[in-house]
Amino acid sequence: MSNNKTAITPTREEDFPEWYQQVIKAADLAENSETRGCMVIKPWGYGIWELIQQQLDRRFKAIARFPEK
């Protein structure tokens, strides 16, 4: 385990859900909604999500051997 200090505590290994929430807030990718348990994804956060979806889609299609559009 690394002894690197970061601004986000706890570490990912200690408490993943809390770590994830802090990473999202620190990166300003989303903010809490008035609805409990929901977050509003900001445009740049949504852009990252779209890129992740595209990569996953390509990989799934390659595994399933479906032709890409």
Side-chain angles (χ1 to χ4, degrees):
M1 187 165 135
S2 175
N3 289 331
N4 293 337
K5 299 273 184 180
T6 64
I8 297 175
T9 57
T11 65
R12 182 171 57 181
E13 292 80 17
E14 293 170 342
D15 185 355
F16 182 81
E18 180 60 26
W19 172 85
Y20 180 80
Q21 291 291 321
Q22 288 189 30
V23 167
I24 295 301
K25 287 179 185 175
D28 198 31
L29 298 175
E31 59 188 28
N32 288 329
S33 167
E34 292 182 13
T35 304
R36 184 174 181 244
C38 294
M39 296 189 85
V40 177
I41 302 172
K42 295 186 177 183
W44 43 93
Y46 192 75
I48 292 170
W49 171 241
E50 286 182 318
L51 293 172
I52 292 169
Q53 285 179 310
Q54 290 170 10
Q55 288 296 319
L56 288 173
D57 188 48
R58 285 188 194 107
R59 291 177 187 196
F60 291 146
K61 287 180 180 178
I63 291 171
R65 296 192 176 122
F66 292 130
E68 279 198 41
K69 293 180 180 179

